Amino acid sequence: MTKYKIKIIFLFLTFVFLITNVAFTQDRIIKLDKELKNLAKTNPSLLEMVDVSVSGVSIQEFLRGVASNVKVNISVDPSLQITVVNNFSDVMIIDMLLFLAKEHDLELSITGNIISVSKYNPPVKETPIQKPRELIINYNKDKDLLSYELNNDSLSKVTREITKQSDKNIVLGTSITGKTVNGFAQNMSFEKGIEMLAYSNDLLFIKNEEGIYMLDKPEPTKNNNQGNNANQNFKTTKKETKSKDTALTVIMQGPDSILVKGQSVQIADVVKEVSEKQGVNFCLISEIKGKTNINFSGITYEDILNNLFSGTDYTFKKQNDIYLIGETKAFALKSFKVIQLQNRMVDKIAEVIPAEYKKDVEVKEFVELNSLLVTGQATKIAGVEDFIRNIDKVVPVVLIEVMIADVTKKKTFSAGVNFGLGDNSSQKTQGSLFPTLDMRFSTNTINNLINSFNGFGWFNIGKVTPGFYLSIKALEENGILRLRSTPKLATLNGHEAKLTIGNTEYYVEEQNNVVGTQNPQNITTRTYKPVQANLSVTIKPYVSGDQQVTLDIKVTQSSFTARISESAPPGQVTRNFESLIRVKNEEMVLLGGLEEQSNSDTGSGVPFLSRIPVIKWLFSSRTKEKKNSRLNIFIKPTIIY
């Protein structure tokens, strides 16, 4: 695949070169045509028509014969080795010269009325002088921290710049003075930075007791002690060699497709070999230890690193086209990502993430953006993000329609006779006869009624004393009261929706305080305190995958009863129930059974006489009341996405 792409690129460049060359030649011929036509204005012989047929004649002899025939001054470079084979018929001298210049790549120079013919030498393009790339190297002397970003930079220039900034001598071996290096380090200790630069570029790093650093080509030997024999004044601090007992195979199958095979191979060797084959820039932040058995085919470079470091203490991070590789605890390998939630609230979402996902990862809630800020290893962050994406689903909204119907039936019967003495002589007889009987008779009306009976035989009742009155009452009431309300509530799945309807009454609470000892004063404080009677409905919906809705319902109803005195708080009656039901989407359910019944039979009258049948209605007053109240609640959930 790679060879095929190289051929395509080569053919494309060749085609571009040919097109450019043809365009340039065409421009040159047009320029010569203009110059010859200008010369023809003073020498019309150039416009004459000629017939010429030659074969195997040198260009010098050909043009000399043409010039003699038409009286044109033509000078031909004797060094030209061109043989002319042409047959020109009825052609102008100008066209013939232009044809020869184009056909044989000739230059026509005009001096006065003389035409000079020579070999055309194209102008040499000046190659722009490229500025050397500035080295990106920084050294903090106060903290002894070294930072660099290298990309195919000369090792000798790099060490010279580091020595200038740090005043620490670095010596290069003669075999590596022309070597180029790659690497990246950010605020790393000086010695560690030089050590990582050497290790990532297959160099031997040595430091002696005097603090002089040496970089050299590693020796092809298994015995690390031989490095000490080269110079007893130096101490070898790092050296890595590949084991000959193991075989590592790395084959490029495509631009980003790699085959890797190996048994008991060093992880560091796999990283270096694959990186070199892929042609990527990498830097080892820390030493990679351990062996692995590996067998991948058709896999990308980053997938190899992900699988290679899975379950280890190593990771990688791509920064500015450079792969930083090392231990997960290294600060330079820390990554962060803002994961924005699309359908859920970020509040308390961090508590849902399993502890295994949050290991070695810091998760913080960013409420303003409804996002999570995750800091840690890149692969760990990817695991947290995958978990968040799996649970960040659309949360259904449940619209709950509640219909409350409260029906109260009441029946009251009141009857009796009241009479007595009072200052009612001036009061007129008044009241109603239909549909209720409620009359009050004055003294004069009662006496007139008695007089109508006094003329019958011996029966003589007499008259009532002034101020005597009589009241007769007979009343029956029936009533049905229906109260209905249809509120609508909306809430997220798994969250409560609460409705409260009620009224408030007040009662007075007095408090007496005595202030002072010699002249005590009594201060009375009156406080109006509220008492509430409410109908409260609390519903928490849970939506299932089959469009079923589970409703957790709590209903509480309280109502006022009569006060035991005017200053006492009103009494209360409370009814409540809880229910857990399951209904289909847009299906209505009826909740009932909150029923209240009350019977009342009260009366007052003359002792003993008020209990005798029939005549008891003349000596007493009675009231009977029967009340029945029922509360029904209809609930209809509707799922909205």
Side-chain angles (χ1 to χ4, degrees), residues 396-398 493-494 540-552 581-589 637-641:
V397 175
V398 182
N493 183 32
K540 182 184 287 188
Y542 299 93
V543 179
S544 303
D546 57 353
Q547 297 296 301
Q548 299 269 355
V549 183
T550 301
L551 300 175
D552 185 2
I581 60 174
R582 184 180 177 89
V583 296
K584 292 183 179 180
N585 182 30
E586 298 186 2
E587 187 177 81
M588 182 171 289
V589 62
T638 303
I639 302 173
I640 303 173
Y641 285 95

Side-chain angles (χ1 to χ4, degrees), residues 506-561:
Y506 295 87
Y507 67 94
V508 178
E509 186 178 90
E510 292 186 356
Q511 183 177 2
N512 294 323
N513 295 320
V514 179
V515 180
T517 54
Q518 295 180 354
N519 297 315
Q521 295 182 355
N522 188 21
I523 298 177
T524 302
T525 303
R526 302 184 67 184
T527 305
Y528 290 88
K529 291 192 174 182
V531 178
Q532 293 184 339
N534 298 323
L535 171 61
S536 176
V537 180
T538 303
I539 304 174
K540 182 184 287 188
Y542 299 93
V543 179
S544 303
D546 57 353
Q547 297 296 301
Q548 299 269 355
V549 183
T550 301
L551 300 175
D552 185 2
I553 305 172
K554 298 178 181 178
V555 179
T556 301
Q557 184 192 33
S558 59
S559 58
F560 292 122
T561 60

Side-chain angles (χ1 to χ4, degrees), residues 216-372:
D216 203 350
K217 187 176 181 180
E219 300 177 8
T221 177
K222 293 183 181 180
N223 188 3
N224 291 340
N225 296 329
Q226 291 184 8
N228 296 331
N229 297 332
N231 191 338
Q232 296 296 330
N233 295 328
F234 288 88
K235 177 183 177 183
T236 302
T237 60
K238 190 170 188 68
K239 184 175 181 181
E240 290 286 334
T241 58
K242 294 182 180 180
S243 175
K244 296 180 180 179
D245 299 330
T246 59
L248 175 63
T249 303
V250 179
I251 300 175
M252 295 299 300
Q253 298 177 320
D256 198 13
S257 180
I258 310 172
L259 181 145
V260 186
K261 291 183 179 180
Q263 297 292 327
S264 298
V265 292
Q266 296 287 340
I267 297 178
D269 292 343
V270 177
V271 172
K272 292 168 63 176
E273 188 70 19
V274 173
S275 300
E276 290 175 0
K277 289 286 187 180
Q278 182 71 17
V280 300
N281 300 322
F282 72 99
C283 179
L284 298 178
I285 301 298
S286 57
E287 181 182 0
I288 299 179
K289 299 179 181 180
K291 295 183 178 181
T292 184
N293 297 326
I294 189 170
N295 187 359
F296 295 135
S297 179
I299 193 171
T300 64
Y301 177 78
E302 290 193 0
D303 288 341
I304 290 176
L305 295 182
N306 283 325
N307 288 279
L308 196 62
F309 297 144
S310 178
T312 68
D313 294 331
Y314 304 105
T315 186
F316 72 95
K317 176 183 177 182
K318 187 177 181 182
Q319 182 172 319
N320 299 329
D321 294 330
I322 299 175
Y323 285 87
L324 308 180
I325 303 173
E327 295 181 349
T328 56
K329 62 183 180 181
F331 180 77
L333 296 177
K334 295 288 185 182
S335 300
F336 73 90
K337 188 169 186 179
V338 177
I339 304 174
Q340 188 172 35
L341 279 74
Q342 303 297 324
N343 304 296
R344 300 180 62 92
M345 295 184 298
V346 73
D347 186 27
K348 297 183 180 180
I349 197 69
E351 300 175 2
V352 182
I353 302 175
E356 185 64 27
Y357 283 92
K358 292 192 290 186
K359 185 179 179 181
D360 300 327
V361 175
E362 184 179 3
V363 181
K364 290 187 176 180
E365 295 177 354
F366 200 164
V367 180
E368 288 79 2
L369 293 179
N370 196 39
S371 304
L372 290 176

